[in-house]
Amino acid sequence: MKLNIGIIGLGLMGGSFAKAVKKYSIATEVYGYARNEKTKKEIEELNLVDQLVDIKTMKEKCDLIVLAIPVDNIISMLPEFLDIKDKTTIMDLGSTKEFIIKSVPPKIRKNFIAAHPMTGTEKSGPKAAIDNLYEGKTVVLCNLEENENQHVNRAFKVFQEIGMRIVAMDADEHDIHACYMSHLPHAISYSLANTVMGHEDPKSIIALAAGGFKDMSRIAKSSPDMWTDIFKQNRKNLLASIDLFENHMKKVREMIETEDYSSLKEWMKKANTLHEIL
Amino acid sequence: MKLNIGIIGLGLMGGSFAKAVKKYSIATEVYGYARNEKTKKEIEELNLVDQLVDIKTMKEKCDLIVLAIPVDNIISMLPEFLDIKDKTTIMDLGSTKEFIIKSVPPKIRKNFIAAHPMTGTEKSGPKAAIDNLYEGKTVVLCNLEENENQHVNRAFKVFQEIGMRIVAMDADEHDIHACYMSHLPHAISYSLANTVMGHEDPKSIIALAAGGFKDMSRIAKSSPDMWTDIFKQNRKNLLASIDLFENHMKKVREMIETEDYSSLKEWMKKANTLHEIL
């Protein structure tokens, strides 16, 4: 299978996707689209795509068009693809799925593969692109029953060839799972980072940072533009998961306050059971 | 400098310390002490020390005795060392410092080096010991003005030779910094793990775990015995830091609830400034 692949947005996700399809020789040509002139220059310098083109050219040339942009931008760009060919596959890589799928125009719903590769780093922009971001990771594909077979098969083949494990799931279920595994952890990490940065002397505190804090604060470096949109689109699930998390924070605070150390130890042991799964 | 070194407790910290002093040829002999028969067997099988001995023998033979046990056990063992020789250095590796230092009997205060190596993993027990746990990491030494020079110099030399960066600090300041960098992150990680494990189907959720959740939940696998004691000994600072963290969780919840996305983005940008330091 050799495809002409178009990638809209060549940051961490899109740029790494371009590198992956090149590495595994999946593409005949890789076309890229970016709006910003500075970004275009970076993409060219990094040689991420064969050619930067406009949307019209991309729609003419490509078998597969990938939207690797923030989730709100995915939605606002959808009308641009109303006139794609029947055989053209369009796919998004956004972190939320329910709202995006609801926004896909019915005319191109059968072409539109809703994908969420469960991978990333805290970095963003074309320079963050790496050729092994997707290898060995999981991609969730949502509501595939609404797609035409040729597009599903194409998506499967591409993700398999770049080394991903495919999981099919309903969009509403995906949004809950992604909330626990990614969106809630981001809200917590941003809060922890702001707690420490709010101290009168964060530098001297952070001088003692070891594995624990480094791991817990890494994703607090993630892009605010991207993550504001994700929080917005998964607002309902995020609020519910914050409430559940907050119950546990209240509980640990209370056990420490009242010096109920035997309950504290039991509660920690329950958290340890995660070890059996992960 | 070649020393006879005694290590009390040969889990992650003590076992790794034994491996490090061997690796860097600092010790003439490494003596170990453990209470539990199963642990003793593991220590012997792993060949962590030259000889397992009783406390009396350790006090006779060793130039340096290291307490690498949970922080409450450090305090309860202190009276055992009232009769150490003037030239014997005793040192603890506990994660809290104020309470331990206050508990050191005045008679041996000059011998007692209060150390906190800012390193660790989520694992525990002799099998968790690794020979490079300390390399390139920071060790905090507290209230050194209360120590005799020969003991301070000995501690400096040992930590330097195993590749550590030494920071001197008051115990009360240490306990605040360690709270932000380690104790609060542990409370949060345990809460996140319990939030997810409380879901009706944690397995299918965790099947989608990627870097974000893995990093944020890793330290929730840490030993409840060890961490209950740490939370107890640093209770006051931990409660204060939970309150500051909770203010941020309330804030992010409120911004999402009221859909104040411009404030949300600004708040995320503030968290990003961590990037400039770490």
Side-chain angles (χ1 to χ4, degrees):
Chain A
M1 177 189 62
K2 283 273 199 175
L3 299 171
N4 284 316
I5 297 179
I7 304 173
I8 296 183
L10 286 129
L12 171 69
M13 300 304 284
S16 297
F17 194 82
K19 287 192 167 192
V21 296
K22 278 188 190 175
K23 184 177 176 181
Y24 290 101
S25 308
I26 299 166
T28 315
E29 290 283 314
V30 180
Y31 298 94
Y33 172 82
R35 267 194 300 215
N36 180 297
E37 285 307 320
K38 187 174 154 273
T39 310
K40 280 187 191 176
K41 220 182 138 217
E42 271 183 36
I43 295 164
E44 277 168 354
E45 279 167 6
L46 292 163
N47 203 22
L48 285 179
V49 297
D50 297 314
Q51 210 183 318
L52 281 170
V53 295
D54 57 20
I55 301 286
K56 188 167 173 288
T57 311
M58 197 175 269
K59 287 188 286 190
E60 279 162 17
K61 302 266 194 188
C62 292
D63 307 298
L64 168 66
I65 295 171
V66 179
L67 299 167
I69 48 182
V71 289
D72 275 14
N73 299 8
I74 292 170
I75 290 170
S76 61
M77 274 198 89
L78 285 170
E80 299 241 34
F81 301 97
L82 270 168
D83 60 350
I84 52 169
K85 301 167 203 160
D86 274 354
K87 59 171 192 177
T88 304
T89 306
I90 180 163
M91 176 159 86
D92 87 296
L93 306 182
S95 296
T96 56
K97 295 272 76 80
E98 220 178 339
F99 200 61
I100 289 173
I101 288 175
K102 277 185 191 150
S103 310
V104 176
K107 185 170 178 290
I108 57 166
R109 180 67 192 95
K110 64 182 188 307
N111 306 59
F112 189 94
I113 303 288
H116 180 201
M118 303 297 294
T119 182
T121 74
E122 70 281 17
K123 303 196 178 86
S124 51
K127 285 176 191 157
I130 49 176
D131 73 356
N132 63 348
L133 185 69
Y134 298 100
E135 282 172 17
K137 303 295 167 54
T138 298
V139 59
V140 184
L141 302 180
C142 291
N143 302 11
L144 290 173
E145 65 283 2
E146 296 164 15
N147 293 118
E148 220 174 62
N149 252 345
Q150 59 171 324
H151 303 297
V152 175
N153 288 337
R154 189 174 277 162
F156 264 67
K157 278 181 187 157
V158 169
F159 284 123
Q160 274 169 19
E161 292 205 16
I162 64 172
M164 299 200 81
R165 184 176 73 104
I166 297 167
V167 172
M169 202 179 274
D170 281 347
D172 55 350
E173 196 187 357
H174 163 276
D175 282 7
I176 293 171
H177 290 209
C179 183
Y180 279 107
M181 290 297 100
S182 174
H183 310 168
L184 174 64
H186 275 80
I188 294 169
S189 189
Y190 282 124
S191 287
L192 176 61
N194 270 326
T195 303
V196 173
M197 293 309 290
H199 189 271
E200 59 190 32
D201 184 11
K203 265 191 193 172
S204 75
I205 288 185
I206 290 167
L208 301 190
F213 182 75
K214 281 181 189 166
D215 279 2
M216 299 287 290
S217 66
R218 180 181 61 81
I219 54 178
K221 297 174 187 170
S222 303
S223 156
D225 288 326
M226 195 179 130
W227 281 93
T228 299
D229 286 4
I230 294 170
F231 282 17
K232 190 201 282 185
Q233 288 200 19
N234 207 12
R235 177 171 172 268
K236 206 187 55 182
N237 291 319
L238 188 52
L239 287 173
S241 74
I242 289 176
D243 289 345
L244 293 172
F245 171 75
E246 284 294 274
N247 289 342
H248 279 288
M249 285 306 299
K250 274 182 207 129
K251 196 167 175 176
V252 63
R253 200 202 177 287
E254 196 183 307
M255 290 183 294
I256 299 166
E257 173 101 66
T258 61
E259 306 208 54
D260 182 0
Y261 298 118
S262 65
S263 300
L264 179 64
K265 197 177 284 186
E266 286 312 307
W267 178 82
M268 287 175 172
K269 279 183 188 162
K270 264 186 220 153
N272 278 180
T273 61
L274 175 71
H275 200 47
E276 294 155 22
I277 308 182
L278 186 67
Chain B
M1 178 189 60
K2 284 271 200 174
L3 299 171
N4 283 317
I5 298 179
I7 304 174
I8 296 182
L10 287 131
L12 171 67
M13 300 303 285
S16 297
F17 194 80
K19 286 191 168 192
V21 296
K22 277 188 192 177
K23 184 176 175 181
Y24 290 101
S25 307
I26 298 167
T28 315
E29 290 283 313
V30 180
Y31 298 93
Y33 173 82
R35 266 195 299 215
N36 182 297
E37 285 307 319
K38 187 173 154 276
T39 311
K40 280 186 189 176
K41 218 180 141 216
E42 272 182 37
I43 295 164
E44 277 169 354
E45 279 166 9
L46 292 162
N47 202 20
L48 286 179
V49 296
D50 297 312
Q51 210 182 319
L52 281 170
V53 294
D54 57 20
I55 300 286
K56 187 166 173 285
T57 312
M58 197 175 269
K59 287 188 285 190
E60 277 162 19
K61 301 265 193 188
C62 293
D63 306 298
L64 169 65
I65 296 172
V66 179
L67 299 168
I69 49 182
V71 290
D72 275 13
N73 299 7
I74 292 171
I75 289 169
S76 60
M77 274 198 88
L78 285 171
E80 300 240 33
F81 300 97
L82 269 168
D83 60 350
I84 52 168
K85 301 168 204 159
D86 274 355
K87 60 174 193 177
T88 305
T89 307
I90 181 162
M91 177 158 85
D92 87 296
L93 306 182
S95 295
T96 55
K97 294 271 76 82
E98 219 178 338
F99 200 60
I100 289 174
I101 288 176
K102 276 186 192 150
S103 309
V104 176
K107 184 168 179 293
I108 56 166
R109 180 67 193 93
K110 64 183 189 305
N111 305 60
F112 189 93
I113 303 288
H116 180 201
M118 303 297 295
T119 183
T121 74
E122 70 281 18
K123 304 196 178 84
S124 51
K127 285 176 190 156
I130 48 176
D131 72 357
N132 63 349
L133 186 69
Y134 298 100
E135 281 171 17
K137 305 295 167 52
T138 298
V139 58
V140 184
L141 303 181
C142 291
N143 301 12
L144 291 174
E145 64 284 1
E146 296 165 15
N147 293 117
E148 218 172 63
N149 253 346
Q150 60 170 325
H151 303 298
V152 174
N153 289 337
R154 190 174 277 162
F156 265 68
K157 278 181 186 159
V158 169
F159 284 123
Q160 275 170 16
E161 292 204 17
I162 64 173
M164 300 200 81
R165 183 174 74 104
I166 297 167
V167 172
M169 201 179 274
D170 281 345
D172 55 351
E173 196 188 357
H174 162 275
D175 282 8
I176 293 171
H177 290 207
C179 182
Y180 279 106
M181 290 297 101
S182 173
H183 310 167
L184 173 65
H186 275 80
I188 294 169
S189 188
Y190 282 124
S191 286
L192 176 62
N194 270 326
T195 303
V196 174
M197 293 309 290
H199 190 271
E200 61 189 32
D201 184 11
K203 264 191 193 172
S204 75
I205 289 185
I206 290 168
L208 301 190
F213 182 74
K214 280 181 190 167
D215 278 2
M216 299 287 290
S217 67
R218 181 181 61 82
I219 52 177
K221 297 175 187 170
S222 303
S223 157
D225 289 326
M226 197 180 128
W227 280 92
T228 299
D229 286 3
I230 294 169
F231 282 17
K232 191 201 283 184
Q233 288 200 17
N234 206 12
R235 178 172 172 265
K236 207 187 54 182
N237 290 319
L238 189 52
L239 288 173
S241 74
I242 289 176
D243 289 345
L244 292 172
F245 172 75
E246 284 294 274
N247 289 342
H248 279 288
M249 286 305 299
K250 275 182 206 129
K251 195 167 176 175
V252 63
R253 200 201 176 288
E254 195 184 307
M255 291 183 294
I256 299 166
E257 174 101 68
T258 60
E259 306 209 52
D260 181 0
Y261 298 117
S262 65
S263 300
L264 179 64
K265 198 177 284 186
E266 287 310 308
W267 177 81
M268 287 174 172
K269 279 183 187 162
K270 262 185 224 157
N272 278 180
T273 61
L274 174 71
H275 200 46
E276 296 157 19
I277 308 184
L278 185 67

